[in-house]
Amino acid sequence: MSRIPVILDGDPGHDDAIAWMLAKASPMLDIRAVTSVCGNQTIEKTTYNALRICTLLGIDCPVAMGRPSPLLAEPMNAPSVHGQSGLDGPKLPEPAMELSRMRSVELMAKVLRESEAPVTIVSTGPQTNVAALLLAHPELKNKIGQISLMGGGIAHGNWTPAAEFNILVDPEAAKIVFESGVPVIMSGLDVTEKALIFPADFERIRAVGNQVAGVVADWLEFFYAFHRELGYPGAPLHDPVAVVSLVRPDLLISKELCVEVETKGEYCRGATIGHDRKPANARVNLGIDRDGFADFLVEAVSTYGEGKQ
Ligand code: BDR
Ligand code: CA
């Protein structure tokens, strides 16, 4: 079986980190590059976190830093969810690798140029880098097989009543991505708020006993503390659904829709409107087998070794 070449683009972030853990664990995926984007924290912090996560997980590929701000909007961060570092909680190893001299867009372009097979972009932060890539290198668009992104919500938002965080941070970029013609898999709040991992699952993960399992369990506890205050019965693992879409689509229920991004509007900037009045531009995930997802997470951490390390 030939593996799918992927670029992991994100703003880690606890759920980004768990998404990358799933990606590294899957024999179906070949991680060719990791690129940081500003979102959950500043670009300096998300880049440092990306390097630390890659070191922890043994992801051995170039890591590049993205733009310091969205395409047009002012930067916006989420310390209330992810802490001042963008990845508060357990102590992580210091980076064992150098940051690439290329910036995110140039590294993405290089990976696309050098790959014979179409490359999938897994985007778990604002769409800034992906849109900048499409603008700077339109000639490489046909080298992108698909974009599996976490963002938006057809039914509602989380950062405003209408908008989800990743889309709200850079709506102009999201609009470029959805209108690009590249196949998009959208995992928005409609599905990701159902991807709940409960405290009992944290303990199943911790019981696996290896270093990655312990860190993932600690990340889940940190991430859940914020959501528990809001009344969630578990941690909604938004970003990992963008990886599940590629490696375990059988766990998901989806629908082909036309998704349009509101970039104006006093109340609705950043909203994702899903409808069937125009041809579909996205496969939109709407449901998930929660128990199957929890089992899959436990299986994935188990691939990082047995017992205490
Ligand atoms: C998204 O916002 C970020 O805080 C998470 O990492 C996720 O990508 C959920 O709205
Ligand atoms: Ca994210």
Side-chain angles (χ1 to χ4, degrees):
M1 181 186 72
S2 60
R3 297 191 295 162
I4 306 168
V6 294
I7 296 171
L8 303 178
D9 180 70
D11 60 341
H14 298 76
D15 51 340
D16 302 77
I18 296 172
W20 294 1
M21 183 280 293
L22 292 180
K24 171 64 180 168
S26 173
M28 290 175 64
L29 304 183
D30 175 13
I31 303 171
R32 300 272 174 93
V34 167
T35 53
S36 63
V37 64
C38 64
N40 286 326
Q41 263 300 350
T42 62
I43 194 65
E44 290 78 14
K45 291 182 181 180
T46 60
T47 305
Y48 174 56
N49 293 341
L51 289 167
R52 293 193 298 160
I53 295 162
C54 288
T55 301
L56 171 76
L57 299 175
I59 296 177
D60 185 18
C61 69
V63 179
M65 181 192 267
R67 299 162 52 97
S69 58
L71 294 188
L72 297 178
E74 288 299 316
M76 187 195 301
N77 306 137
S80 58
V81 187
H82 300 275
Q84 284 305 325
S85 71
L87 192 56
D88 279 10
K91 190 169 160 42
L92 298 177
E94 286 304 311
M97 71 245 290
E98 295 283 320
L99 184 63
S100 169
R101 290 191 183 167
M102 277 178 269
R103 299 302 285 248
S104 289
V105 168
E106 288 320 307
L107 178 59
M108 288 169 147
K110 180 171 186 286
V111 169
L112 293 177
R113 244 183 252 117
E114 290 176 355
S115 179
E116 285 189 10
V119 177
T120 292
I121 299 177
V122 181
S123 171
T124 55
Q127 293 304 306
T128 313
N129 289 336
V130 186
L133 170 73
L134 291 165
L135 290 174
H137 294 283
E139 79 284 1
L140 294 174
K141 194 167 90 171
N142 62 2
K143 303 289 300 271
I144 307 173
Q146 56 189 344
I147 299 166
S148 180
L149 64 87
M150 189 283 138
I154 304 301
H156 57 88
N158 59 1
W159 221 251
T160 71
E164 180 277 333
F165 179 77
N166 287 342
I167 306 294
L168 183 65
V169 170
D170 200 340
E172 284 77 18
K175 183 175 166 66
I176 288 168
V177 169
F178 277 102
E179 292 181 359
S180 67
V182 177
V184 171
I185 307 173
M186 169 178 157
S187 299
L189 299 172
D190 313 280
V191 63
T192 67
E193 290 191 335
K194 296 172 190 151
L196 288 169
I197 295 299
F198 300 132
D201 301 313
F202 307 171
E203 294 322 311
R204 287 173 66 203
I205 290 168
R206 192 180 297 287
V208 170
N210 61 38
Q211 184 193 13
V212 170
V215 171
V216 169
D218 288 348
W219 279 336
L220 286 165
E221 277 174 14
F222 185 92
F223 196 54
Y224 177 49
F226 168 81
H227 290 94
R228 188 176 44 217
E229 297 291 308
L230 299 177
Y232 286 79
L237 285 198
H238 306 288
D239 294 336
V241 183
V243 176
V244 171
S245 302
L246 304 176
V247 301
R248 287 295 307 273
D250 57 300
L251 294 174
L252 298 164
I253 296 168
S254 60
K255 191 173 178 182
E256 298 286 328
L257 288 173
C258 175
V259 177
E260 298 189 281
V261 180
E262 177 61 86
T263 55
K264 303 182 184 73
E266 193 176 349
Y267 304 106
C268 296
R269 180 168 154 82
T272 43
I273 318 300
H275 62 90
D276 59 7
R277 295 181 181 199
K278 292 185 194 168
N281 61 358
R283 174 149 62 86
V284 180
N285 289 323
L286 297 170
I288 188 164
D289 168 357
R290 198 235 59 107
D291 291 349
F293 173 55
D295 291 346
F296 177 57
L297 214 54
V298 176
E299 279 164 31
V301 293
S302 306
T303 66
Y304 289 87
E306 284 177 19
K308 295 266 177 242
Q309 289 192 339

CSV table of all heavy atoms in Angstrom, one decimal, residues 186-237:
chain,number,residue,atom,x,y,z
A,186,MET,N,-14.2,19.2,5.2
A,186,MET,CA,-14.4,20.1,6.3
A,186,MET,C,-14.9,19.4,7.6
A,186,MET,O,-15.9,18.7,7.6
A,186,MET,CB,-15.4,21.2,6.0
A,186,MET,CG,-15.9,22.0,7.1
A,186,MET,SD,-17.0,23.3,6.6
A,186,MET,CE,-17.9,23.6,8.2
A,187,SER,N,-14.0,19.4,8.6
A,187,SER,CA,-14.5,18.9,9.9
A,187,SER,C,-14.7,20.2,10.8
A,187,SER,O,-13.8,20.7,11.4
A,187,SER,CB,-13.4,18.0,10.5
A,187,SER,OG,-13.2,16.9,9.7
A,188,GLY,N,-15.9,20.6,10.9
A,188,GLY,CA,-16.3,21.7,11.7
A,188,GLY,C,-16.9,21.3,13.0
A,188,GLY,O,-17.0,20.1,13.4
A,189,LEU,N,-17.4,22.3,13.7
A,189,LEU,CA,-18.0,22.0,15.1
A,189,LEU,C,-19.1,21.0,15.0
A,189,LEU,O,-19.4,20.4,16.0
A,189,LEU,CB,-18.5,23.3,15.7
A,189,LEU,CG,-17.4,24.4,15.9
A,189,LEU,CD1,-18.0,25.7,16.3
A,189,LEU,CD2,-16.3,24.0,16.9
A,190,ASP,N,-19.8,20.9,13.9
A,190,ASP,CA,-20.9,20.0,13.8
A,190,ASP,C,-20.5,18.6,14.1
A,190,ASP,O,-21.3,17.8,14.7
A,190,ASP,CB,-21.5,20.0,12.3
A,190,ASP,CG,-21.6,21.4,11.8
A,190,ASP,OD1,-22.6,22.0,12.1
A,190,ASP,OD2,-20.7,21.9,11.1
A,191,VAL,N,-19.3,18.2,13.7
A,191,VAL,CA,-18.8,16.9,14.1
A,191,VAL,C,-17.8,16.9,15.2
A,191,VAL,O,-17.8,16.1,16.1
A,191,VAL,CB,-18.1,16.2,12.8
A,191,VAL,CG1,-16.9,17.0,12.3
A,191,VAL,CG2,-17.7,14.8,13.2
A,192,THR,N,-17.0,18.0,15.3
A,192,THR,CA,-15.9,17.9,16.3
A,192,THR,C,-16.4,18.1,17.8
A,192,THR,O,-15.8,17.6,18.7
A,192,THR,CB,-14.8,19.0,16.0
A,192,THR,OG1,-15.3,20.3,16.2
A,192,THR,CG2,-14.2,18.9,14.6
A,193,GLU,N,-17.6,18.7,17.9
A,193,GLU,CA,-18.1,18.8,19.3
A,193,GLU,C,-18.8,17.5,19.7
A,193,GLU,O,-19.1,17.3,20.8
A,193,GLU,CB,-19.1,20.0,19.4
A,193,GLU,CG,-18.4,21.3,19.3
A,193,GLU,CD,-19.2,22.5,19.7
A,193,GLU,OE1,-20.5,22.4,19.5
A,193,GLU,OE2,-18.7,23.5,20.1
A,194,LYS,N,-18.9,16.6,18.7
A,194,LYS,CA,-19.4,15.2,19.0
A,194,LYS,C,-18.2,14.3,19.3
A,194,LYS,O,-18.3,13.1,19.7
A,194,LYS,CB,-20.2,14.7,17.9
A,194,LYS,CG,-21.5,15.5,17.7
A,194,LYS,CD,-22.3,15.0,16.5
A,194,LYS,CE,-23.4,15.9,16.1
A,194,LYS,NZ,-23.7,16.0,14.7
A,195,ALA,N,-17.0,14.7,18.9
A,195,ALA,CA,-15.7,13.9,19.1
A,195,ALA,C,-15.3,14.1,20.5
A,195,ALA,O,-14.1,14.6,20.8
A,195,ALA,CB,-14.7,14.3,18.1
A,196,LEU,N,-16.1,13.7,21.5
A,196,LEU,CA,-15.8,14.0,22.9
A,196,LEU,C,-15.0,12.8,23.5
A,196,LEU,O,-15.4,11.7,23.3
A,196,LEU,CB,-17.1,14.1,23.6
A,196,LEU,CG,-17.9,15.4,23.4
A,196,LEU,CD1,-19.3,15.3,24.0
A,196,LEU,CD2,-17.2,16.6,23.9
A,197,ILE,N,-14.0,13.2,24.2
A,197,ILE,CA,-13.2,12.2,24.9
A,197,ILE,C,-13.4,12.5,26.4
A,197,ILE,O,-13.1,13.6,26.9
A,197,ILE,CB,-11.7,12.3,24.5
A,197,ILE,CG1,-11.6,11.9,23.0
A,197,ILE,CG2,-10.8,11.4,25.3
A,197,ILE,CD1,-12.0,10.5,22.6
A,198,PHE,N,-13.9,11.5,27.1
A,198,PHE,CA,-14.3,11.6,28.5
A,198,PHE,C,-13.2,11.3,29.4
A,198,PHE,O,-12.2,10.6,29.1
A,198,PHE,CB,-15.5,10.6,28.7
A,198,PHE,CG,-16.7,10.8,27.9
A,198,PHE,CD1,-17.3,9.8,27.2
A,198,PHE,CD2,-17.2,12.1,27.7
A,198,PHE,CE1,-18.4,10.0,26.4
A,198,PHE,CE2,-18.4,12.3,26.9
A,198,PHE,CZ,-19.0,11.2,26.3
A,199,PRO,N,-13.3,11.8,30.7
A,199,PRO,CA,-12.3,11.5,31.7
A,199,PRO,C,-11.9,10.0,31.8
A,199,PRO,O,-10.8,9.7,32.0
A,199,PRO,CB,-12.9,12.1,33.0
A,199,PRO,CG,-13.7,13.3,32.5
A,199,PRO,CD,-14.3,12.8,31.2
A,200,ALA,N,-12.9,9.2,31.6
A,200,ALA,CA,-12.6,7.7,31.7
A,200,ALA,C,-11.7,7.3,30.5
A,200,ALA,O,-10.9,6.4,30.7
A,200,ALA,CB,-13.9,6.9,31.6
A,201,ASP,N,-11.8,8.0,29.4
A,201,ASP,CA,-10.9,7.7,28.3
A,201,ASP,C,-9.5,8.2,28.6
A,201,ASP,O,-8.5,7.5,28.1
A,201,ASP,CB,-11.4,8.3,27.0
A,201,ASP,CG,-12.8,7.9,26.6
A,201,ASP,OD1,-13.1,6.7,26.6
A,201,ASP,OD2,-13.7,8.8,26.3
A,202,PHE,N,-9.4,9.3,29.3
A,202,PHE,CA,-8.1,9.8,29.6
A,202,PHE,C,-7.3,8.7,30.3
A,202,PHE,O,-6.1,8.5,30.1
A,202,PHE,CB,-8.1,11.0,30.5
A,202,PHE,CG,-8.9,12.2,30.1
A,202,PHE,CD1,-9.1,13.3,31.0
A,202,PHE,CD2,-9.5,12.3,28.9
A,202,PHE,CE1,-9.9,14.4,30.7
A,202,PHE,CE2,-10.3,13.4,28.5
A,202,PHE,CZ,-10.5,14.4,29.4
A,203,GLU,N,-8.0,8.0,31.3
A,203,GLU,CA,-7.4,7.0,32.1
A,203,GLU,C,-7.0,5.8,31.2
A,203,GLU,O,-5.9,5.2,31.5
A,203,GLU,CB,-8.2,6.6,33.3
A,203,GLU,CG,-8.4,7.8,34.3
A,203,GLU,CD,-7.1,8.6,34.4
A,203,GLU,OE1,-6.0,8.0,34.7
A,203,GLU,OE2,-7.2,9.9,34.3
A,204,ARG,N,-7.8,5.4,30.3
A,204,ARG,CA,-7.5,4.3,29.4
A,204,ARG,C,-6.2,4.7,28.6
A,204,ARG,O,-5.3,3.8,28.4
A,204,ARG,CB,-8.6,4.1,28.3
A,204,ARG,CG,-9.8,3.4,28.9
A,204,ARG,CD,-10.9,3.4,27.8
A,204,ARG,NE,-10.6,2.6,26.7
A,204,ARG,CZ,-11.1,2.7,25.5
A,204,ARG,NH1,-11.9,3.6,25.2
A,204,ARG,NH2,-10.7,1.9,24.5
A,205,ILE,N,-6.1,5.9,28.2
A,205,ILE,CA,-4.9,6.4,27.4
A,205,ILE,C,-3.7,6.3,28.3
A,205,ILE,O,-2.6,5.8,28.0
A,205,ILE,CB,-5.2,7.8,26.8
A,205,ILE,CG1,-6.2,7.7,25.7
A,205,ILE,CG2,-3.9,8.4,26.3
A,205,ILE,CD1,-6.7,8.9,25.2
A,206,ARG,N,-3.8,6.9,29.5
A,206,ARG,CA,-2.7,7.0,30.5
A,206,ARG,C,-2.2,5.5,30.8
A,206,ARG,O,-1.0,5.3,30.9
A,206,ARG,CB,-3.1,7.7,31.8
A,206,ARG,CG,-1.9,8.0,32.7
A,206,ARG,CD,-2.4,8.7,33.9
A,206,ARG,NE,-3.0,10.0,33.7
A,206,ARG,CZ,-2.4,11.1,33.3
A,206,ARG,NH1,-1.0,11.1,33.1
A,206,ARG,NH2,-3.0,12.3,33.1
A,207,ALA,N,-3.2,4.6,30.9
A,207,ALA,CA,-2.8,3.2,31.3
A,207,ALA,C,-2.0,2.5,30.2
A,207,ALA,O,-1.3,1.5,30.5
A,207,ALA,CB,-4.1,2.4,31.5
A,208,VAL,N,-1.9,3.0,29.0
A,208,VAL,CA,-1.1,2.5,28.0
A,208,VAL,C,0.4,2.5,28.5
A,208,VAL,O,1.2,1.6,28.2
A,208,VAL,CB,-1.2,3.2,26.6
A,208,VAL,CG1,-0.2,2.7,25.6
A,208,VAL,CG2,-2.6,2.9,26.1
A,209,GLY,N,0.7,3.6,29.2
A,209,GLY,CA,2.0,3.6,30.0
A,209,GLY,C,3.2,4.1,29.3
A,209,GLY,O,4.2,4.2,30.0
A,210,ASN,N,3.2,4.4,28.0
A,210,ASN,CA,4.4,4.9,27.4
A,210,ASN,C,4.4,6.5,27.6
A,210,ASN,O,3.5,7.1,28.0
A,210,ASN,CB,4.6,4.5,26.0
A,210,ASN,CG,3.4,5.0,25.1
A,210,ASN,OD1,2.9,6.1,25.2
A,210,ASN,ND2,3.0,4.1,24.1
A,211,GLN,N,5.5,7.1,27.2
A,211,GLN,CA,5.7,8.5,27.4
A,211,GLN,C,4.6,9.3,26.7
A,211,GLN,O,4.1,10.3,27.2
A,211,GLN,CB,7.1,9.0,26.9
A,211,GLN,CG,7.4,10.4,27.2
A,211,GLN,CD,8.6,10.9,26.5
A,211,GLN,OE1,9.1,10.3,25.6
A,211,GLN,NE2,9.1,12.1,26.9
A,212,VAL,N,4.4,9.0,25.4
A,212,VAL,CA,3.4,9.7,24.6
A,212,VAL,C,2.0,9.6,25.2
A,212,VAL,O,1.3,10.6,25.3
A,212,VAL,CB,3.4,9.2,23.1
A,212,VAL,CG1,2.3,9.8,22.3
A,212,VAL,CG2,4.7,9.6,22.5
A,213,ALA,N,1.7,8.4,25.7
A,213,ALA,CA,0.4,8.2,26.3
A,213,ALA,C,0.2,9.1,27.5
A,213,ALA,O,-0.9,9.7,27.7
A,213,ALA,CB,0.2,6.8,26.7
A,214,GLY,N,1.3,9.2,28.3
A,214,GLY,CA,1.2,10.1,29.5
A,214,GLY,C,1.0,11.6,29.2
A,214,GLY,O,0.2,12.3,29.8
A,215,VAL,N,1.8,12.0,28.1
A,215,VAL,CA,1.6,13.4,27.7
A,215,VAL,C,0.2,13.7,27.1
A,215,VAL,O,-0.4,14.7,27.4
A,215,VAL,CB,2.8,13.7,26.7
A,215,VAL,CG1,2.5,15.1,26.1
A,215,VAL,CG2,4.1,13.7,27.4
A,216,VAL,N,-0.2,12.8,26.3
A,216,VAL,CA,-1.6,12.9,25.7
A,216,VAL,C,-2.6,13.0,26.8
A,216,VAL,O,-3.5,13.9,26.7
A,216,VAL,CB,-1.9,11.8,24.7
A,216,VAL,CG1,-3.3,11.9,24.2
A,216,VAL,CG2,-1.0,12.0,23.4
A,217,ALA,N,-2.5,12.1,27.8
A,217,ALA,CA,-3.5,12.2,28.9
A,217,ALA,C,-3.4,13.5,29.6
A,217,ALA,O,-4.5,14.1,30.0
A,217,ALA,CB,-3.3,11.0,29.9
A,218,ASP,N,-2.2,14.0,29.8
A,218,ASP,CA,-2.1,15.3,30.5
A,218,ASP,C,-2.6,16.5,29.6
A,218,ASP,O,-3.3,17.4,30.1
A,218,ASP,CB,-0.6,15.6,30.8
A,218,ASP,CG,-0.1,14.8,32.0
A,218,ASP,OD1,-0.9,14.1,32.7
A,218,ASP,OD2,1.1,14.7,32.2
A,219,TRP,N,-2.4,16.4,28.3
A,219,TRP,CA,-2.9,17.4,27.4
A,219,TRP,C,-4.5,17.4,27.5
A,219,TRP,O,-5.1,18.4,27.5
A,219,TRP,CB,-2.5,17.1,26.0
A,219,TRP,CG,-1.1,17.6,25.6
A,219,TRP,CD1,-0.4,18.6,26.2
A,219,TRP,CD2,-0.3,17.0,24.5
A,219,TRP,NE1,0.8,18.7,25.5
A,219,TRP,CE2,0.9,17.8,24.5
A,219,TRP,CE3,-0.5,16.0,23.5
A,219,TRP,CZ2,1.9,17.5,23.6
A,219,TRP,CZ3,0.5,15.8,22.6
A,219,TRP,CH2,1.7,16.5,22.6
A,220,LEU,N,-5.0,16.2,27.5
A,220,LEU,CA,-6.5,16.1,27.5
A,220,LEU,C,-7.0,16.7,28.8
A,220,LEU,O,-8.0,17.4,28.8
A,220,LEU,CB,-6.9,14.6,27.4
A,220,LEU,CG,-6.8,14.0,26.0
A,220,LEU,CD1,-6.8,12.5,26.1
A,220,LEU,CD2,-7.8,14.5,25.1
A,221,GLU,N,-6.3,16.4,29.9
A,221,GLU,CA,-6.8,17.0,31.2
A,221,GLU,C,-6.8,18.5,31.1
A,221,GLU,O,-7.7,19.2,31.6
A,221,GLU,CB,-6.0,16.5,32.4
A,221,GLU,CG,-6.5,15.1,32.8
A,221,GLU,CD,-5.7,14.5,33.9
A,221,GLU,OE1,-4.8,15.1,34.5
A,221,GLU,OE2,-5.9,13.2,34.1
A,222,PHE,N,-5.7,19.1,30.6
A,222,PHE,CA,-5.6,20.5,30.5
A,222,PHE,C,-6.7,21.1,29.6
A,222,PHE,O,-7.4,22.0,30.0
A,222,PHE,CB,-4.2,20.9,30.0
A,222,PHE,CG,-4.0,22.4,30.0
A,222,PHE,CD1,-3.5,23.1,31.1
A,222,PHE,CD2,-4.5,23.2,28.9
A,222,PHE,CE1,-3.4,24.5,31.1
A,222,PHE,CE2,-4.4,24.6,28.9
A,222,PHE,CZ,-3.8,25.2,30.0
A,223,PHE,N,-6.9,20.5,28.5
A,223,PHE,CA,-7.8,20.9,27.5
A,223,PHE,C,-9.3,20.8,28.0
A,223,PHE,O,-10.1,21.7,27.8
A,223,PHE,CB,-7.6,20.1,26.2
A,223,PHE,CG,-8.3,20.6,25.0
A,223,PHE,CD1,-8.0,21.9,24.5
A,223,PHE,CD2,-9.1,19.9,24.2
A,223,PHE,CE1,-8.5,22.4,23.3
A,223,PHE,CE2,-9.7,20.3,23.0
A,223,PHE,CZ,-9.3,21.6,22.6
A,224,TYR,N,-9.5,19.7,28.8
A,224,TYR,CA,-10.8,19.5,29.3
A,224,TYR,C,-11.2,20.5,30.4
A,224,TYR,O,-12.4,20.9,30.5
A,224,TYR,CB,-11.0,18.1,29.8
A,224,TYR,CG,-12.3,17.8,30.5
A,224,TYR,CD1,-13.5,18.1,29.8
A,224,TYR,CD2,-12.4,17.1,31.7
A,224,TYR,CE1,-14.7,17.8,30.4
A,224,TYR,CE2,-13.6,16.9,32.3
A,224,TYR,CZ,-14.8,17.2,31.6
A,224,TYR,OH,-16.0,16.9,32.2
A,225,ALA,N,-10.2,20.9,31.2
A,225,ALA,CA,-10.5,21.9,32.3
A,225,ALA,C,-11.2,23.1,31.8
A,225,ALA,O,-12.2,23.6,32.4
A,225,ALA,CB,-9.2,22.2,33.0
A,226,PHE,N,-10.8,23.6,30.6
A,226,PHE,CA,-11.5,24.8,30.1
A,226,PHE,C,-12.9,24.4,29.6
A,226,PHE,O,-13.8,25.2,29.9
A,226,PHE,CB,-10.6,25.3,28.9
A,226,PHE,CG,-11.4,26.3,28.0
A,226,PHE,CD1,-11.4,27.7,28.4
A,226,PHE,CD2,-12.0,25.9,26.8
A,226,PHE,CE1,-12.1,28.6,27.6
A,226,PHE,CE2,-12.7,26.9,26.1
A,226,PHE,CZ,-12.8,28.2,26.5
A,227,HIS,N,-13.0,23.3,29.0
A,227,HIS,CA,-14.4,22.9,28.4
A,227,HIS,C,-15.3,22.5,29.5
A,227,HIS,O,-16.5,22.7,29.3
A,227,HIS,CB,-14.2,21.9,27.3
A,227,HIS,CG,-13.5,22.4,26.1
A,227,HIS,ND1,-12.2,22.3,25.9
A,227,HIS,CD2,-14.0,23.0,25.0
A,227,HIS,CE1,-11.8,22.8,24.7
A,227,HIS,NE2,-12.9,23.3,24.2
A,228,ARG,N,-14.8,21.9,30.6
A,228,ARG,CA,-15.7,21.5,31.7
A,228,ARG,C,-16.4,22.7,32.3
A,228,ARG,O,-17.6,22.7,32.5
A,228,ARG,CB,-14.9,20.8,32.8
A,228,ARG,CG,-15.7,20.2,33.9
A,228,ARG,CD,-14.8,19.5,34.9
A,228,ARG,NE,-13.7,20.3,35.2
A,228,ARG,CZ,-12.5,19.8,35.5
A,228,ARG,NH1,-12.2,18.5,35.4
A,228,ARG,NH2,-11.5,20.6,35.7
A,229,GLU,N,-15.7,23.9,32.4
A,229,GLU,CA,-16.3,25.1,32.9
A,229,GLU,C,-17.5,25.5,32.0
A,229,GLU,O,-18.4,26.2,32.4
A,229,GLU,CB,-15.3,26.3,32.9
A,229,GLU,CG,-14.1,26.0,33.8
A,229,GLU,CD,-14.5,26.1,35.2
A,229,GLU,OE1,-15.2,27.1,35.6
A,229,GLU,OE2,-14.3,25.1,36.0
A,230,LEU,N,-17.4,25.2,30.7
A,230,LEU,CA,-18.5,25.6,29.7
A,230,LEU,C,-19.6,24.5,29.7
A,230,LEU,O,-20.6,24.7,29.0
A,230,LEU,CB,-17.9,25.7,28.3
A,230,LEU,CG,-16.8,26.8,28.1
A,230,LEU,CD1,-16.3,26.8,26.7
A,230,LEU,CD2,-17.4,28.2,28.5
A,231,GLY,N,-19.4,23.4,30.5
A,231,GLY,CA,-20.5,22.4,30.5
A,231,GLY,C,-20.3,21.2,29.7
A,231,GLY,O,-21.2,20.4,29.5
A,232,TYR,N,-19.2,21.1,29.0
A,232,TYR,CA,-18.9,19.9,28.2
A,232,TYR,C,-18.7,18.7,29.0
A,232,TYR,O,-18.0,18.8,30.1
A,232,TYR,CB,-17.7,20.1,27.3
A,232,TYR,CG,-17.8,21.0,26.1
A,232,TYR,CD1,-17.8,22.4,26.3
A,232,TYR,CD2,-17.9,20.5,24.8
A,232,TYR,CE1,-17.8,23.3,25.2
A,232,TYR,CE2,-18.0,21.4,23.7
A,232,TYR,CZ,-18.0,22.8,23.9
A,232,TYR,OH,-18.1,23.6,22.9
A,233,PRO,N,-19.2,17.5,28.7
A,233,PRO,CA,-19.0,16.3,29.5
A,233,PRO,C,-17.6,15.7,29.1
A,233,PRO,O,-17.3,14.7,29.8
A,233,PRO,CB,-20.1,15.4,29.0
A,233,PRO,CG,-20.5,15.8,27.6
A,233,PRO,CD,-20.2,17.3,27.6
A,234,GLY,N,-16.9,16.2,28.2
A,234,GLY,CA,-15.6,15.6,27.8
A,234,GLY,C,-14.9,16.7,27.0
A,234,GLY,O,-15.4,17.8,26.8
A,235,ALA,N,-13.7,16.3,26.5
A,235,ALA,CA,-12.9,17.3,25.7
A,235,ALA,C,-13.3,17.1,24.3
A,235,ALA,O,-13.1,16.0,23.7
A,235,ALA,CB,-11.4,17.0,25.9
A,236,PRO,N,-13.7,18.2,23.6
A,236,PRO,CA,-14.0,18.0,22.2
A,236,PRO,C,-12.8,18.1,21.4
A,236,PRO,O,-12.1,19.1,21.3
A,236,PRO,CB,-14.9,19.3,21.9
A,236,PRO,CG,-14.5,20.3,22.9
A,236,PRO,CD,-14.0,19.5,24.1
A,237,LEU,N,-12.4,17.0,20.8
A,237,LEU,CA,-11.1,16.9,20.0
A,237,LEU,C,-11.3,17.3,18.6
A,237,LEU,O,-11.4,16.5,17.7
A,237,LEU,CB,-10.6,15.5,20.2
A,237,LEU,CG,-9.9,15.2,21.5
A,237,LEU,CD1,-9.0,14.0,21.4
A,237,LEU,CD2,-9.2,16.3,22.1
